Amino acid sequence: QVQLVESGGGLVQAGGSLRLSCAASGRTFSDYTMGWFRQAPGKEREFVAAISWSIGTTGYADSVKGRFTISRDNVKNTVYLQMNSLKPEDTAVYYCAARVGTLIYRGRDQYAYWGQGTQVTVSS
């Protein structure tokens, strides 16, 4: 059974940085794509970034391109989201997700497995 556990959220001032982690277990993830999504209060859950575990191909939402970086550690079975130059509009619950396959998809319905989420709050 796939388990995804996020950590690293918190409160940070605008312009600051945070690194989110997603510890994945229960499968061999070499054939998976891992994604980060976020959901702000009253808004739809939206795509942030994704990485193909084996190939390393990445994709980003336009709103975070150049500020956020997704990466993975094959030994630790962990995916990271490095978030720099944070803005108040980045405030949301951030979710880790996984899907079988190596293509980058941005739709949340393409991801079968989800973590419980971690809160990120950026103060102005």
Side-chain angles (χ1 to χ4, degrees), residues 22-109:
C22 172
S25 62
R27 295 282 170 84
T28 300
F29 289 92
S30 57
D31 293 332
Y32 280 64
T33 293
M34 307 298 293
W36 284 98
F37 288 75
R38 66 186 182 186
Q39 188 167 17
K43 294 189 176 181
E44 298 274 324
R45 191 172 299 189
E46 64 176 4
F47 172 80
V48 175
I51 185 167
S52 170
W53 198 292
S54 59
I55 303 171
T57 306
T58 59
Y60 295 92
D62 288 343
S63 59
V64 306
K65 203 172 291 183
R67 299 189 297 124
F68 291 10
T69 303
I70 189 170
S71 62
R72 84 279 194 225
D73 184 322
N74 292 336
V75 174
K76 295 182 178 179
N77 247 23
T78 299
V79 177
Y80 302 100
L81 185 68
Q82 178 67 44
M83 306 186 296
N84 298 329
S85 302
L86 282 161
K87 304 175 182 180
E89 51 263 44
D90 294 318
T91 294
V93 177
Y94 282 71
Y95 296 90
C96 179
R99 63 175 301 275
V100 178
T102 58
L103 296 178
I104 302 295
Y105 281 96
R106 297 166 183 256
R108 61 182 186 270
D109 57 349

Coordinates of all heavy atoms in Angstrom, one line a residue, residues 22-109:
C22 N 8.4 14.7 1.2 CA 7.4 13.7 1.1 C 8.1 12.3 1.1 O 8.8 11.9 0.2 CB 6.6 13.9 -0.2 SG 5.5 12.5 -0.6
A23 N 7.9 11.6 2.2 CA 8.5 10.3 2.4 C 7.5 9.3 1.8 O 6.3 9.2 2.2 CB 8.7 10.0 3.8
A24 N 8.0 8.5 0.8 CA 7.1 7.6 0.1 C 7.5 6.1 0.5 O 8.7 5.8 0.6 CB 7.3 7.7 -1.4
S25 N 6.5 5.3 0.7 CA 6.7 3.9 1.1 C 5.6 3.0 0.5 O 4.6 3.5 0.1 CB 6.8 3.7 2.6 OG 5.6 4.1 3.2
G26 N 5.9 1.7 0.5 CA 4.9 0.7 0.1 C 5.1 0.2 -1.3 O 4.4 -0.8 -1.6
R27 N 5.9 0.8 -2.1 CA 6.1 0.4 -3.5 C 7.5 0.7 -3.9 O 8.2 1.5 -3.2 CB 5.1 1.1 -4.4 CG 3.7 0.8 -4.2 CD 3.3 -0.5 -4.8 NE 1.9 -0.9 -4.4 CZ 0.8 -0.5 -5.0 NH1 0.9 0.3 -6.1 NH2 -0.3 -0.9 -4.6
T28 N 7.9 0.2 -5.0 CA 9.1 0.7 -5.7 C 8.6 1.8 -6.6 O 7.8 1.5 -7.5 CB 9.8 -0.4 -6.5 OG1 10.2 -1.5 -5.6 CG2 11.0 0.1 -7.2
F29 N 9.1 3.0 -6.5 CA 8.5 4.1 -7.2 C 9.2 4.5 -8.5 O 9.0 5.6 -9.0 CB 8.5 5.3 -6.2 CG 7.5 5.2 -5.1 CD1 7.9 4.6 -3.9 CD2 6.2 5.6 -5.3 CE1 7.0 4.5 -2.9 CE2 5.3 5.4 -4.3 CZ 5.7 4.9 -3.1
S30 N 10.1 3.6 -9.0 CA 10.8 4.0 -10.2 C 9.9 4.2 -11.4 O 10.3 4.9 -12.3 CB 11.8 2.9 -10.5 OG 11.1 1.6 -10.7
D31 N 8.7 3.6 -11.4 CA 7.8 3.8 -12.5 C 6.7 4.8 -12.2 O 5.6 4.9 -12.8 CB 7.1 2.5 -12.9 CG 8.1 1.5 -13.4 OD1 9.1 2.0 -14.0 OD2 7.9 0.3 -13.3
Y32 N 6.9 5.6 -11.2 CA 5.9 6.6 -10.7 C 6.3 8.0 -11.1 O 7.5 8.3 -11.2 CB 5.7 6.5 -9.2 CG 4.8 5.4 -8.8 CD1 5.2 4.0 -9.0 CD2 3.6 5.6 -8.1 CE1 4.4 3.0 -8.6 CE2 2.8 4.6 -7.7 CZ 3.2 3.3 -7.9 OH 2.4 2.3 -7.5
T33 N 5.3 8.9 -11.1 CA 5.5 10.3 -11.1 C 5.0 10.9 -9.8 O 3.9 10.5 -9.4 CB 4.8 11.0 -12.3 OG1 5.4 10.6 -13.5 CG2 4.9 12.5 -12.2
M34 N 5.8 11.7 -9.2 CA 5.4 12.3 -7.9 C 5.1 13.8 -8.1 O 5.8 14.5 -8.9 CB 6.6 12.2 -6.9 CG 7.1 10.8 -6.8 SD 5.9 9.7 -6.1 CE 5.7 10.3 -4.5
G35 N 4.0 14.2 -7.5 CA 3.6 15.6 -7.7 C 3.3 16.3 -6.4 O 3.2 15.7 -5.3
W36 N 3.4 17.6 -6.4 CA 3.0 18.5 -5.3 C 1.8 19.3 -5.8 O 1.8 19.9 -6.9 CB 4.1 19.4 -4.9 CG 5.2 18.7 -4.1 CD1 6.4 18.3 -4.6 CD2 5.2 18.5 -2.7 NE1 7.1 17.7 -3.5 CE2 6.4 17.8 -2.4 CE3 4.2 18.7 -1.7 CZ2 6.7 17.4 -1.1 CZ3 4.5 18.3 -0.4 CH2 5.8 17.6 -0.1
F37 N 0.8 19.4 -5.0 CA -0.4 20.2 -5.2 C -0.6 21.1 -4.0 O 0.0 20.8 -2.9 CB -1.6 19.3 -5.5 CG -1.6 18.6 -6.8 CD1 -0.8 17.5 -7.0 CD2 -2.5 19.0 -7.8 CE1 -0.8 16.8 -8.2 CE2 -2.5 18.4 -9.0 CZ -1.7 17.3 -9.2
R38 N -1.4 22.1 -4.1 CA -1.7 22.9 -3.0 C -3.2 23.4 -3.1 O -3.8 23.5 -4.1 CB -0.8 24.2 -2.9 CG -1.0 25.2 -4.0 CD 0.1 26.2 -3.9 NE 0.0 27.2 -5.0 CZ 0.8 28.2 -5.2 NH1 1.9 28.3 -4.4 NH2 0.6 29.1 -6.1
Q39 N -3.7 23.6 -1.9 CA -5.1 24.1 -1.8 C -5.2 25.2 -0.8 O -5.0 25.0 0.4 CB -6.1 22.9 -1.5 CG -7.5 23.3 -1.6 CD -8.4 22.1 -1.5 OE1 -8.0 21.0 -1.1 NE2 -9.7 22.2 -2.0
A40 N -5.6 26.4 -1.2 CA -5.9 27.5 -0.4 C -7.3 27.5 0.1 O -8.2 26.9 -0.7 CB -5.5 28.8 -1.1
P41 N -7.7 28.1 1.2 CA -9.1 28.2 1.6 C -10.0 28.7 0.6 O -9.7 29.8 0.0 CB -9.0 29.1 2.8 CG -7.6 29.0 3.3 CD -6.8 28.8 2.1
G42 N -11.1 28.0 0.3 CA -12.1 28.4 -0.7 C -11.7 28.3 -2.1 O -12.4 28.7 -3.0
K43 N -10.5 27.6 -2.4 CA -10.0 27.4 -3.8 C -9.9 26.0 -4.1 O -9.8 25.1 -3.2 CB -8.7 28.2 -4.0 CG -8.8 29.7 -3.8 CD -7.5 30.4 -4.3 CE -7.7 31.9 -4.3 NZ -6.4 32.5 -4.7
E44 N -9.8 25.7 -5.4 CA -9.6 24.3 -5.9 C -8.1 23.9 -5.6 O -7.2 24.8 -5.5 CB -9.8 24.3 -7.4 CG -11.2 24.6 -7.8 CD -12.1 23.4 -7.8 OE1 -11.6 22.3 -8.1 OE2 -13.3 23.6 -7.4
R45 N -7.9 22.6 -5.4 CA -6.6 22.1 -5.3 C -5.9 22.2 -6.7 O -6.4 21.8 -7.7 CB -6.6 20.6 -4.9 CG -5.3 20.1 -4.5 CD -5.4 18.7 -3.9 NE -6.2 18.7 -2.7 CZ -6.4 17.6 -1.9 NH1 -5.7 16.5 -2.2 NH2 -7.1 17.7 -0.8
E46 N -4.7 22.8 -6.7 CA -4.0 23.1 -7.9 C -2.6 22.5 -8.0 O -2.0 22.3 -7.0 CB -3.9 24.7 -8.1 CG -3.0 25.4 -7.1 CD -2.9 26.8 -7.4 OE1 -3.5 27.4 -8.3 OE2 -2.1 27.5 -6.6
F47 N -2.2 22.2 -9.2 CA -0.9 21.7 -9.5 C 0.2 22.7 -9.1 O 0.0 23.9 -9.4 CB -0.9 21.3 -10.9 CG 0.5 20.8 -11.4 CD1 1.0 19.5 -11.2 CD2 1.3 21.7 -12.1 CE1 2.2 19.1 -11.6 CE2 2.6 21.3 -12.5 CZ 3.0 20.0 -12.3
V48 N 1.3 22.2 -8.5 CA 2.4 23.0 -8.2 C 3.6 22.5 -9.0 O 4.3 23.3 -9.8 CB 2.7 23.0 -6.7 CG1 4.0 23.8 -6.5 CG2 1.6 23.6 -5.9
A49 N 4.0 21.2 -8.9 CA 5.2 20.7 -9.6 C 5.1 19.2 -9.6 O 4.3 18.6 -8.8 CB 6.4 21.1 -8.8
A50 N 5.8 18.6 -10.5 CA 5.9 17.1 -10.5 C 7.2 16.7 -11.1 O 7.9 17.4 -11.8 CB 4.8 16.6 -11.4
I51 N 7.6 15.4 -10.7 CA 8.9 14.9 -11.2 C 8.7 13.4 -11.5 O 8.0 12.7 -10.8 CB 10.0 15.1 -10.2 CG1 11.3 14.6 -10.7 CG2 9.6 14.4 -8.8 CD1 12.5 15.1 -9.8
S52 N 9.2 13.0 -12.7 CA 9.2 11.6 -13.0 C 10.3 10.9 -12.2 O 11.5 11.3 -12.4 CB 9.4 11.4 -14.5 OG 9.6 10.1 -14.8
W53 N 10.0 9.9 -11.4 CA 11.0 9.4 -10.5 C 12.2 8.8 -11.2 O 13.4 9.1 -10.8 CB 10.4 8.3 -9.6 CG 11.2 8.1 -8.4 CD1 12.5 7.5 -8.3 CD2 10.9 8.4 -7.0 NE1 12.9 7.5 -7.0 CE2 11.9 8.1 -6.2 CE3 9.7 9.0 -6.5 CZ2 11.9 8.3 -4.8 CZ3 9.7 9.2 -5.1 CH2 10.8 8.8 -4.3
S54 N 12.0 8.1 -12.2 CA 13.2 7.4 -12.9 C 13.9 8.3 -13.8 O 15.2 8.3 -13.8 CB 12.7 6.1 -13.6 OG 11.7 6.5 -14.6
I55 N 13.2 9.1 -14.6 CA 13.8 9.9 -15.6 C 14.3 11.2 -15.1 O 15.3 11.8 -15.5 CB 12.8 10.1 -16.8 CG1 12.4 8.8 -17.3 CG2 13.5 10.9 -17.9 CD1 11.3 8.9 -18.3
G56 N 13.5 11.8 -14.1 CA 13.9 13.1 -13.5 C 13.3 14.2 -14.3 O 13.6 15.4 -13.9
T57 N 12.4 14.0 -15.2 CA 11.7 15.1 -15.9 C 10.9 15.8 -14.9 O 10.2 15.2 -14.0 CB 10.8 14.5 -17.0 OG1 11.6 13.7 -17.9 CG2 10.2 15.6 -17.8
T58 N 10.8 17.2 -15.0 CA 10.1 18.0 -14.1 C 9.1 18.9 -14.8 O 9.3 19.2 -16.0 CB 11.0 18.8 -13.2 OG1 11.8 19.7 -14.1 CG2 11.9 18.0 -12.4
G59 N 8.1 19.3 -14.1 CA 7.1 20.3 -14.6 C 6.7 21.2 -13.5 O 6.6 20.7 -12.3
Y60 N 6.4 22.4 -13.8 CA 6.0 23.4 -12.8 C 4.8 24.2 -13.3 O 4.6 24.5 -14.5 CB 7.2 24.4 -12.6 CG 8.4 23.7 -11.9 CD1 9.4 23.2 -12.8 CD2 8.5 23.6 -10.6 CE1 10.5 22.6 -12.2 CE2 9.6 23.0 -10.0 CZ 10.6 22.5 -10.8 OH 11.7 21.9 -10.3
A61 N 4.0 24.7 -12.3 CA 3.0 25.7 -12.6 C 3.7 27.0 -12.9 O 4.8 27.3 -12.3 CB 2.1 25.8 -11.4
D62 N 3.1 27.8 -13.7 CA 3.7 29.1 -14.1 C 3.9 30.0 -12.9 O 4.8 30.7 -12.8 CB 2.8 29.8 -15.1 CG 2.9 29.2 -16.5 OD1 3.8 28.4 -16.7 OD2 2.0 29.4 -17.3
S63 N 3.0 29.8 -11.9 CA 3.0 30.7 -10.7 C 4.2 30.5 -9.8 O 4.6 31.3 -9.0 CB 1.7 30.6 -9.9 OG 1.6 29.2 -9.5
V64 N 4.9 29.3 -10.0 CA 6.0 29.0 -9.1 C 7.3 28.8 -9.8 O 8.4 28.6 -9.2 CB 5.7 27.7 -8.2 CG1 4.4 27.8 -7.5 CG2 5.7 26.4 -9.1
K65 N 7.2 28.8 -11.2 CA 8.4 28.6 -12.0 C 9.5 29.6 -11.6 O 9.2 30.8 -11.6 CB 8.0 28.6 -13.5 CG 9.0 27.9 -14.4 CD 8.4 27.9 -15.8 CE 7.2 27.0 -15.9 NZ 6.7 26.9 -17.3
G66 N 10.7 29.1 -11.4 CA 11.8 30.0 -11.1 C 12.0 30.2 -9.6 O 13.0 30.7 -9.1
R67 N 11.0 29.8 -8.8 CA 11.0 30.0 -7.3 C 11.0 28.7 -6.6 O 11.7 28.5 -5.6 CB 9.8 30.8 -6.9 CG 9.7 32.2 -7.4 CD 8.6 33.0 -6.7 NE 7.3 32.4 -6.9 CZ 6.5 32.1 -5.9 NH1 6.9 32.3 -4.7 NH2 5.3 31.6 -6.2
F68 N 10.3 27.7 -7.1 CA 10.2 26.4 -6.5 C 11.0 25.4 -7.3 O 11.1 25.4 -8.6 CB 8.8 25.9 -6.5 CG 7.9 26.7 -5.5 CD1 8.3 27.8 -4.9 CD2 6.6 26.2 -5.2 CE1 7.5 28.5 -4.1 CE2 5.8 26.9 -4.4 CZ 6.2 28.0 -3.8
T69 N 11.6 24.4 -6.6 CA 12.3 23.3 -7.3 C 11.9 22.0 -6.7 O 12.0 21.8 -5.5 CB 13.9 23.5 -7.1 OG1 14.2 24.7 -7.6 CG2 14.6 22.4 -7.9
I70 N 11.5 21.0 -7.5 CA 11.2 19.7 -7.1 C 12.4 18.8 -7.3 O 13.1 18.9 -8.4 CB 9.9 19.2 -7.8 CG1 9.4 17.9 -7.1 CG2 10.1 19.0 -9.3 CD1 8.0 17.4 -7.6
S71 N 12.6 17.9 -6.4 CA 13.7 16.9 -6.6 C 13.4 15.6 -5.8 O 12.4 15.6 -5.1 CB 15.0 17.5 -6.0 OG 14.9 17.8 -4.6
R72 N 14.2 14.6 -6.1 CA 13.9 13.3 -5.3 C 15.3 12.7 -4.9 O 16.3 12.9 -5.6 CB 13.1 12.3 -6.2 CG 13.8 11.5 -7.2 CD 14.1 12.2 -8.4 NE 14.5 11.3 -9.5 CZ 15.5 11.6 -10.3 NH1 16.3 12.6 -10.1 NH2 15.8 10.7 -11.3
D73 N 15.2 11.9 -3.8 CA 16.3 11.2 -3.3 C 16.0 9.7 -3.4 O 15.1 9.3 -2.7 CB 16.6 11.6 -1.9 CG 17.8 11.0 -1.3 OD1 18.1 9.8 -1.6 OD2 18.6 11.6 -0.5
N74 N 16.6 9.0 -4.3 CA 16.3 7.6 -4.6 C 16.6 6.7 -3.4 O 16.0 5.7 -3.1 CB 17.0 7.1 -5.8 CG 16.5 7.8 -7.1 OD1 15.4 8.2 -7.1 ND2 17.4 7.8 -8.1
V75 N 17.7 7.1 -2.6 CA 18.1 6.3 -1.5 C 17.0 6.4 -0.3 O 16.6 5.4 0.3 CB 19.5 6.7 -1.0 CG1 19.8 5.9 0.3 CG2 20.5 6.4 -2.1
K76 N 16.6 7.7 -0.1 CA 15.7 7.9 1.0 C 14.2 7.8 0.6 O 13.3 7.9 1.4 CB 15.9 9.3 1.6 CG 17.3 9.5 2.2 CD 17.4 10.9 2.8 CE 18.8 11.1 3.5 NZ 18.9 12.4 4.0
N77 N 14.0 7.5 -0.7 CA 12.6 7.4 -1.2 C 11.8 8.7 -0.8 O 10.6 8.6 -0.3 CB 11.9 6.2 -0.6 CG 11.6 5.2 -1.7 OD1 12.3 5.2 -2.8 ND2 10.7 4.3 -1.5
T78 N 12.4 9.8 -1.0 CA 11.8 11.1 -0.6 C 11.8 12.1 -1.7 O 12.8 12.1 -2.5 CB 12.5 11.6 0.7 OG1 12.4 10.7 1.7 CG2 11.9 12.9 1.1
V79 N 10.7 12.8 -1.8 CA 10.6 13.9 -2.8 C 10.6 15.2 -2.0 O 10.0 15.3 -1.0 CB 9.3 13.7 -3.7 CG1 9.2 14.9 -4.6 CG2 9.4 12.4 -4.4
Y80 N 11.3 16.2 -2.6 CA 11.4 17.5 -1.9 C 10.8 18.6 -2.8 O 10.7 18.5 -4.0 CB 12.8 17.8 -1.7 CG 13.5 16.8 -0.8 CD1 14.4 15.8 -1.4 CD2 13.4 16.8 0.6 CE1 15.0 14.9 -0.6 CE2 14.1 15.9 1.3 CZ 14.9 14.9 0.7 OH 15.5 14.0 1.5
L81 N 10.3 19.6 -2.1 CA 9.9 20.8 -2.8 C 10.6 22.0 -2.1 O 10.2 22.4 -1.0 CB 8.4 21.0 -2.8 CG 7.8 22.2 -3.6 CD1 8.1 22.0 -5.1 CD2 6.4 22.5 -3.3
Q82 N 11.6 22.5 -2.8 CA 12.3 23.7 -2.2 C 11.6 24.9 -2.7 O 11.4 25.1 -3.9 CB 13.7 23.7 -2.7 CG 14.5 24.9 -2.3 CD 14.8 24.9 -0.8 OE1 15.1 23.9 -0.2 NE2 14.6 26.1 -0.2
M83 N 11.1 25.7 -1.8 CA 10.3 26.9 -2.1 C 11.1 28.1 -1.6 O 11.3 28.3 -0.4 CB 9.0 26.8 -1.4 CG 8.2 25.5 -1.7 SD 6.5 25.5 -1.0 CE 6.9 25.6 0.8
N84 N 11.5 29.0 -2.6 CA 12.2 30.2 -2.3 C 11.3 31.4 -2.7 O 10.3 31.3 -3.5 CB 13.5 30.2 -3.1 CG 14.4 29.1 -2.7 OD1 14.4 28.6 -1.6 ND2 15.2 28.6 -3.7
S85 N 11.7 32.6 -2.2 CA 11.0 33.8 -2.6 C 9.5 33.7 -2.3 O 8.7 34.0 -3.2 CB 11.3 34.2 -4.0 OG 12.7 34.4 -4.2
L86 N 9.2 33.1 -1.2 CA 7.7 32.9 -0.9 C 6.9 34.1 -0.9 O 7.4 35.2 -0.4 CB 7.6 32.1 0.4 CG 7.9 30.6 0.2 CD1 8.2 29.9 1.5 CD2 6.8 29.8 -0.5
K87 N 5.7 34.0 -1.3 CA 4.7 35.1 -1.3 C 3.5 34.8 -0.5 O 3.2 33.6 -0.3 CB 4.3 35.4 -2.8 CG 5.4 35.7 -3.8 CD 4.9 35.8 -5.2 CE 6.0 36.0 -6.2 NZ 5.5 36.1 -7.6
P88 N 2.8 35.8 0.0 CA 1.6 35.5 0.7 C 0.6 34.6 -0.1 O -0.1 33.7 0.5 CB 1.0 36.8 1.0 CG 2.2 37.7 1.1 CD 3.1 37.2 0.0
E89 N 0.5 34.7 -1.3 CA -0.4 33.9 -2.2 C 0.1 32.5 -2.3 O -0.7 31.7 -2.8 CB -0.5 34.5 -3.6 CG 0.7 34.9 -4.3 CD 1.2 36.3 -4.1 OE1 1.1 36.9 -3.0 OE2 1.6 36.9 -5.2
D90 N 1.2 32.1 -1.8 CA 1.7 30.7 -1.7 C 1.1 30.0 -0.5 O 1.2 28.8 -0.4 CB 3.2 30.6 -1.6 CG 3.9 31.1 -2.9 OD1 3.4 30.8 -4.0 OD2 4.9 31.8 -2.8
T91 N 0.4 30.7 0.4 CA -0.2 30.2 1.6 C -1.3 29.1 1.2 O -2.2 29.4 0.4 CB -0.9 31.2 2.4 OG1 0.2 32.1 2.9 CG2 -1.6 30.6 3.6
A92 N -1.1 27.9 1.7 CA -2.0 26.8 1.3 C -1.6 25.6 2.1 O -0.5 25.5 2.7 CB -2.0 26.5 -0.2
V93 N -2.5 24.6 2.0 CA -2.1 23.2 2.4 C -1.4 22.6 1.2 O -2.0 22.6 0.1 CB -3.3 22.4 2.9 CG1 -2.8 21.0 3.3 CG2 -3.9 23.1 4.1
Y94 N -0.2 22.0 1.4 CA 0.5 21.4 0.3 C 0.4 19.9 0.4 O 0.7 19.3 1.5 CB 2.0 21.9 0.3 CG 2.1 23.2 -0.2 CD1 1.7 24.4 0.5 CD2 2.7 23.4 -1.5 CE1 1.8 25.6 -0.1 CE2 2.9 24.7 -2.0 CZ 2.4 25.8 -1.3 OH 2.6 27.1 -1.8
Y95 N 0.1 19.2 -0.7 CA -0.1 17.8 -0.7 C 0.9 17.2 -1.7 O 1.1 17.7 -2.8 CB -1.5 17.5 -1.2 CG -2.7 17.9 -0.3 CD1 -3.2 19.2 -0.5 CD2 -3.1 17.1 0.7 CE1 -4.3 19.6 0.3 CE2 -4.2 17.5 1.5 CZ -4.7 18.8 1.3 OH -5.7 19.2 2.1
C96 N 1.4 16.0 -1.2 CA 2.2 15.2 -2.1 C 1.3 14.1 -2.7 O 0.3 13.7 -2.1 CB 3.2 14.5 -1.2 SG 4.3 13.3 -2.1
A97 N 1.5 13.8 -4.0 CA 0.7 12.9 -4.7 C 1.6 12.0 -5.6 O 2.7 12.4 -6.0 CB -0.3 13.6 -5.5
A98 N 1.0 10.8 -5.9 CA 1.8 9.9 -6.8 C 0.8 9.2 -7.8 O -0.3 9.0 -7.6 CB 2.4 8.8 -5.9
R99 N 1.4 9.0 -9.0 CA 0.7 8.3 -10.0 C 1.6 7.3 -10.7 O 2.8 7.6 -10.8 CB 0.1 9.3 -11.1 CG 1.2 10.1 -11.8 CD 0.5 10.9 -12.9 NE -0.3 10.1 -13.9 CZ 0.3 9.5 -14.9 NH1 1.6 9.7 -15.2 NH2 -0.5 8.8 -15.8
V100 N 1.0 6.3 -11.2 CA 1.8 5.3 -12.0 C 2.1 5.8 -13.4 O 1.1 6.3 -14.0 CB 1.1 3.9 -12.1 CG1 1.9 3.0 -12.9 CG2 0.8 3.4 -10.7
G101 N 3.3 5.8 -13.8 CA 3.6 6.3 -15.1 C 4.7 7.4 -15.1 O 4.9 8.0 -14.0
T102 N 5.4 7.6 -16.2 CA 6.5 8.6 -16.2 C 6.2 9.9 -16.8 O 7.1 10.8 -16.9 CB 7.7 7.9 -16.9 OG1 7.3 7.6 -18.2 CG2 8.2 6.7 -16.2
L103 N 5.0 10.1 -17.3 CA 4.6 11.4 -17.9 C 4.2 12.4 -16.8 O 3.6 12.0 -15.8 CB 3.5 11.2 -18.9 CG 3.9 10.3 -20.1 CD1 2.7 10.2 -21.0 CD2 5.1 10.9 -20.9
I104 N 4.5 13.6 -17.1 CA 4.1 14.7 -16.1 C 2.6 15.1 -16.5 O 2.4 15.6 -17.6 CB 5.0 15.9 -16.3 CG1 6.4 15.5 -16.0 CG2 4.5 17.0 -15.3 CD1 6.7 15.1 -14.6
Y105 N 1.7 14.9 -15.5 CA 0.4 15.4 -15.7 C 0.1 16.4 -14.6 O 0.5 16.3 -13.5 CB -0.6 14.2 -15.5 CG -0.7 13.3 -16.7 CD1 0.0 12.2 -16.9 CD2 -1.6 13.7 -17.8 CE1 -0.1 11.4 -18.0 CE2 -1.7 12.9 -18.9 CZ -0.9 11.7 -19.0 OH -1.0 11.0 -20.1
R106 N -0.8 17.4 -14.9 CA -1.1 18.5 -14.0 C -2.5 18.4 -13.4 O -2.8 19.1 -12.5 CB -1.0 19.8 -14.8 CG 0.5 20.1 -15.3 CD 0.5 21.2 -16.3 NE 1.9 21.4 -16.8 CZ 2.7 22.3 -16.4 NH1 2.3 23.3 -15.5 NH2 3.9 22.4 -16.8
G107 N -3.2 17.4 -13.9 CA -4.6 17.3 -13.4 C -4.6 16.4 -12.1 O -4.0 15.3 -12.1
R108 N -5.3 16.9 -11.1 CA -5.2 16.1 -9.8 C -5.9 14.8 -9.9 O -5.6 13.9 -9.2 CB -5.9 16.9 -8.7 CG -7.3 17.3 -8.9 CD -7.8 18.2 -7.7 NE -9.2 18.4 -7.8 CZ -9.8 19.5 -8.4 NH1 -9.0 20.3 -9.0 NH2 -11.1 19.6 -8.4
D109 N -6.8 14.6 -10.9 CA -7.5 13.3 -11.0 C -6.6 12.3 -11.7 O -7.0 11.1 -11.8 CB -8.8 13.5 -11.8 CG -8.6 14.1 -13.2 OD1 -7.5 14.6 -13.5 OD2 -9.5 14.1 -14.0

